[in-house]
Amino acid sequence: MDIVERFKKYLGNEEPGQAAGVFSPLIAGGTFGHEWVTNLNRDYDFDWGPFVGLFWEKAGTYFFKLDSWPNTMRVGLRHYLKDEERMHLMQAFKQSWADTEALERQYPLSKLTDATDAELQSLLRRVFELAKVLLSTTIFAEMIEKEDIAKFYKEAGGTAELLDEFFETASLATFESVGLRMDEVLASDKSDAALQPYFSDYFITPTIEETSARRAKLLAEHGGVQGIQKEIGRIRMEVEQNKTKVAAHRALHAPGVQKIFDFMQLSAWVRDVRRKPFNTLFTLASEIAREMFRRAGMDPALAPYAFYDELAAGKLADPAYRTLLVDRPSGGVHSYIDAEGYVRHEGGTAQTREQLLAIFDAAHTTKEIKGAVAYRGHVHGKVQVIHGEKDFASFEKGSVLVTSMTRPEFVPLMKLASAIVTDEGGITCHAAIVSRELKKPCIIGTRNATRVLKTGDMVEVDAEKGVVRILK
């Protein structure tokens, strides 16, 4: 049975979900592995099920059972309400963060060239062991949906008239976000090496030379150091205002409702701060892979297309594998992944993706584009659908950014956009947090925006009601 039929059989009548982005076999493929599914099943006490990962060029897509993602939030909230002080997910997250920092001290990037091949292979395995734990223990914070929270809110005695304000206030950022921390480094006299991890993503961390070029470009686009510092000041002031709003609104509720409020605040914090250990690990993995490729006499630009387990097994010494890697960016690779392991297929990825998207479209037949409001506002504008990094350069200032979900590498585009619309994401997702900082109208969790909307469409983004209307 091929991957598509196997996935279709598993789904049955269940609704599929998808997450697309700038993904690579090395970083995304190494993090979302079958060991990660095993971690999820253990940490959340339910069967996450399989998922299919596809990679080609500088893009990737994952397909999975849609309800599995928000179900991690439901389980996480129940654990939190039972005993927030000893919530095992947070204990494991904090331990893996501490282990990551210890690994960073033990293996500084400048010393990787001194490591033996065996040491690099072992270190790469350890990097992704930690990355899987970091992701499995914090995934509960990704899909905070209003409908789910409302059920817990009402059960705890929350009143209907305060629900909207509760939801909006509980999701306010009362901490320094990734975007703010990146701006602080960008405007400082710190070296490019200090900035490098902030450009890390699920594809590969840019080299020092690429980081330097990006730094110069961003400074030029945003009015130099002075312009960045002005933005930092505005965001810091807003964070302080948010703290006051949060404290005042929280006090309006009974203790049971306050705990749900606190869980949402925790989720927003976790969703953001985990980027620090993630960025550390992804930067380390990127530099290890490049070093391995250099030692093998291969172009380090191919490093993102190797799965970490292939590198850790020493497959770069195999001539047949080296030939496969050269073809992988264009032909692609796709995997069926579950707790039992994985099956990988080389080539034919574009066709497999279209077959999976047909399953997705059949389950999302409505042309209505509706989601959750992350930041209120009303905008008319021209759509630009961004599928991956290859589309970044064409993005025009003032366009409506439509994408599967945003990540830190999308921040420059978000600053140029008039509004932001995503397929996926809960109220604590990256798009929601950054749109509030930027005060850009934002609708998240539409499921189908990138499938219904086309680049060039004129739309009305009604981020008061959470609706996108096609004008022409």
Side-chain angles (χ1 to χ4, degrees), residues 55-302:
F55 307 99
W56 69 99
E57 296 177 348
K58 297 190 75 171
T61 306
Y62 282 98
F63 292 88
F64 46 87
K65 185 175 74 174
L66 181 61
D67 193 56
S68 291
W69 200 353
N71 200 33
T72 59
M73 186 284 295
R74 298 168 198 141
V75 174
L77 178 51
R78 292 189 190 103
H79 280 255
Y80 183 83
L81 293 176
K82 185 177 180 180
D83 187 355
E84 71 270 23
E85 292 299 321
R86 298 196 308 179
M87 185 182 178
H88 76 278
L89 294 169
M90 286 305 299
Q91 290 179 329
F93 164 58
K94 291 176 180 178
Q95 182 59 57
S96 58
W97 187 348
D99 291 344
T100 296
E101 291 180 336
L103 200 67
E104 181 182 27
R105 291 190 297 271
Q106 187 177 359
Y107 295 98
L109 297 180
S110 60
K111 299 294 184 182
L112 290 180
T113 54
D114 298 334
T116 66
D117 291 349
E119 286 173 333
L120 290 180
Q121 292 168 1
S122 177
L123 179 57
L124 198 58
R125 290 191 190 94
R126 181 57 178 154
V127 163
F128 284 106
E129 285 174 4
L130 287 170
K132 290 179 178 74
V133 174
L134 282 168
L135 186 59
S136 68
T137 56
T138 60
I139 196 170
F140 73 86
E142 293 189 3
M143 195 55 68
I144 308 294
E145 296 189 325
K146 188 172 183 178
E147 293 77 9
D148 281 327
I149 290 294
K151 293 175 184 177
F152 287 93
Y153 172 87
K154 290 174 183 176
E155 288 173 5
T159 58
E161 58 268 24
L162 285 177
L163 177 60
D164 287 342
E165 186 181 354
F166 170 91
F167 197 76
E168 188 171 319
T169 308
S171 57
L172 289 174
T174 55
F175 51 84
E176 293 188 356
S177 70
V178 166
L180 177 59
R181 294 194 297 272
M182 185 178 81
D183 280 349
E184 288 175 333
V185 177
L186 186 64
S188 73
D189 58 1
K190 291 183 178 179
S191 68
D192 291 333
L195 187 63
Q196 185 184 14
Y198 287 97
F199 290 126
S200 191
D201 58 27
Y202 279 101
F203 188 77
I204 198 167
T205 302
T207 64
I208 287 293
E209 293 77 16
E210 291 168 335
T211 298
S212 180
R214 289 195 191 188
R215 183 178 206 163
K217 185 174 184 291
L218 285 175
L219 283 169
E221 289 175 347
H222 298 286
V225 171
Q226 187 174 7
I228 297 290
Q229 288 176 336
K230 183 178 179 181
E231 182 69 5
I232 290 171
R234 183 190 68 77
I235 294 173
R236 281 190 173 282
M237 184 180 298
E238 185 169 301
V239 167
E240 292 305 312
Q241 292 171 345
N242 287 348
K243 289 178 181 178
T244 301
K245 292 178 185 176
V246 162
H249 183 83
R250 184 182 183 279
L252 299 176
H253 298 282
V257 178
Q258 287 180 351
K259 289 191 74 171
I260 299 170
F261 188 97
D262 293 343
F263 174 80
M264 288 184 64
Q265 282 278 289
L266 172 70
S267 297
W269 176 79
V270 166
R271 185 76 169 80
D272 188 84
V273 300
R274 70 177 187 171
R275 287 305 310 177
K276 188 177 189 304
F278 268 141
N279 289 352
T280 298
L281 292 172
F282 293 167
T283 302
L284 188 53
S286 299
E287 293 301 335
I288 291 170
R290 290 189 182 109
E291 178 63 19
M292 288 179 163
F293 271 72
R294 281 191 286 266
R295 292 184 185 188
M298 293 189 69
D299 184 357
L302 286 171

Side-chain angles (χ1 to χ4, degrees), residues 217-218 220-223 231 379-384 386 391-402 406 409-420 434-435 438-441:
K217 185 174 184 291
L218 285 175
E221 289 175 347
H222 298 286
E231 182 69 5
V379 165
H380 289 70
K382 183 176 71 173
V383 165
Q384 279 199 253
I386 301 296
D391 304 321
F392 283 14
S394 65
F395 192 80
E396 299 177 2
K397 185 176 183 179
S399 294
V400 174
L401 171 61
V402 177
T406 68
E409 64 270 20
F410 279 79
V411 171
L413 271 62
M414 298 171 79
K415 290 181 177 180
L416 296 174
S418 59
I420 301 148
V434 176
S435 67
L438 300 177
K439 299 190 181 303
K440 298 285 180 75

Side-chain angles (χ1 to χ4, degrees), residues 331-352:
V333 59
H334 48 287
S335 306
Y336 185 94
I337 307 154
D338 59 21
E340 300 302 316
Y342 62 85
V343 178
R344 287 181 190 151
H345 293 283
E346 301 290 336
T349 301
Q351 180 181 0
T352 299

Side-chain angles (χ1 to χ4, degrees), residues 14-43:
E14 295 284 345
E15 187 177 354
Q18 66 151 331
V22 186
F23 295 148
S24 73
L26 177 67
I27 302 299
T31 305
F32 301 98
H34 75 273
E35 301 96 337
W36 177 65
V37 181
T38 302
N39 289 350
L40 288 172
N41 294 348
R42 178 197 65 213
D43 292 337

